[in-house]
Amino acid sequence: MRARWTLVLGFSLALLVGVGAWVGVSALGGDDPRSPAPTDGDFAITASYRLTPDGALDPAPDERAQRVWDDFVRVATPAFVRSDVTTYRVGDDAGSDTLAYVISDDDDPTRWAFAANLAFADDPRLLLTTLVHEYGHLLSLGVDDVDTDASTCDTEWTGAGCLSADSDLQRFAERFWAGYDDAPARDNLDTDVGTAFYAAHEADFVSDYAATNASEDFAETFATFVLEPEIVGDSVLADKFRYFAELPEYAGARERIRAEFSLGS
């Protein structure tokens, strides 16, 4: 799918704690180090690379930048990256909270730029979780998923238009967010608001960051679904896992990524 998202979708080292493990989830066994970037990445871009038609980067990155890019391609697949991503940007700022982000391409808003803060590239588990979370955003915000001509929404607002009624993210929002009378606004990016909402409904979310808005819940839950053991039973979290398991694109991504990174069945 090709994305039409003009706001930054990223995560950071804000202290986020969840059920146990989006781009650290409580299920990863620790604090969740992700949150949305308040500006265009929140770290200085030191190098930018364009994707060539054959999937290479121009100019060629150094070893560390190339390694992160290679893992991103392994997560998203070479075919997806060639069709949907135009640019790779990197920074190296240990003082920034932001780990990575995706944003619509400056020249082609139907495609993506991906940026990574290389200061955090040497934590393999955190990096993989980050990449899967961002991939979840990419999968859920394609050309057919967003009406960019709309200015007011009966569906979820994406930052650049309204979600299509039959989009995976819209159905997720209707299934898991419509029942709350205290949910954050559709366009909420304030993690403090999300943390307060999470505190009232902790059992329903994989992390407090997931409670920021429906889009972050989607990406955060998808990352946990991919990287962690299945959750079964009658809980909201188990139902969210079943939601992804019943969609071939997401269930197939879980199987493929777990095999690619030797995470077991």
Side-chain angles (χ1 to χ4, degrees), residues 78-122:
F80 182 97
V81 169
R82 283 195 301 271
S83 68
D84 283 43
V85 180
T86 63
T87 309
Y88 174 42
R89 302 168 183 169
V90 300
D92 190 353
D93 183 3
S96 170
D97 286 343
T98 304
L99 305 180
Y101 65 90
V102 291
I103 190 170
S104 55
D105 181 78
D106 295 336
D107 299 321
D108 182 356
T110 70
R111 304 177 75 190
W112 292 95
F114 167 71
N117 187 347
L118 300 181
F120 304 102
D122 294 327

Side-chain angles (χ1 to χ4, degrees), residues 104-187:
S104 55
D105 181 78
D106 295 336
D107 299 321
D108 182 356
T110 70
R111 304 177 75 190
W112 292 95
F114 167 71
N117 187 347
L118 300 181
F120 304 102
D122 294 327
D123 184 332
R125 184 61 172 183
L126 178 58
L127 176 62
L128 179 57
T129 310
T130 297
L131 298 177
V132 176
H133 179 106
E134 294 302 328
Y135 181 45
H137 280 311
L138 300 181
L139 287 176
S140 66
L141 293 168
V143 166
D144 295 335
D145 298 319
V146 181
D147 178 3
T148 57
D149 295 327
S151 58
T152 59
C153 300
D154 294 325
T155 59
E156 296 297 306
W157 171 253
T158 68
C162 301
L163 283 175
S164 301
D166 62 350
S167 65
D168 296 330
L169 178 52
Q170 177 61 30
R171 290 197 298 266
F172 181 91
E174 291 173 352
R175 181 164 168 177
F176 298 111
W177 280 69
Y180 299 110
D181 59 11
D182 57 342
R186 290 173 174 176
D187 59 352

Side-chain angles (χ1 to χ4, degrees), residues 208-260:
D208 57 354
Y209 183 62
T212 304
N213 56 52
S215 182
E216 297 306 342
D217 189 21
F218 186 99
E220 185 77 334
T221 307
F222 172 69
T224 310
F225 166 75
V226 168
L227 298 175
E228 299 302 321
E230 294 182 45
I231 296 176
V232 296
D234 297 326
S235 67
V236 172
L237 284 182
D239 198 19
K240 287 179 179 178
F241 269 45
R242 280 191 291 271
Y243 179 83
F244 288 110
E246 291 167 358
L247 295 174
E249 183 173 27
Y250 299 90
R254 180 184 195 271
E255 182 177 356
R256 175 182 55 77
I257 292 169
R258 293 185 68 83
E260 177 68 27

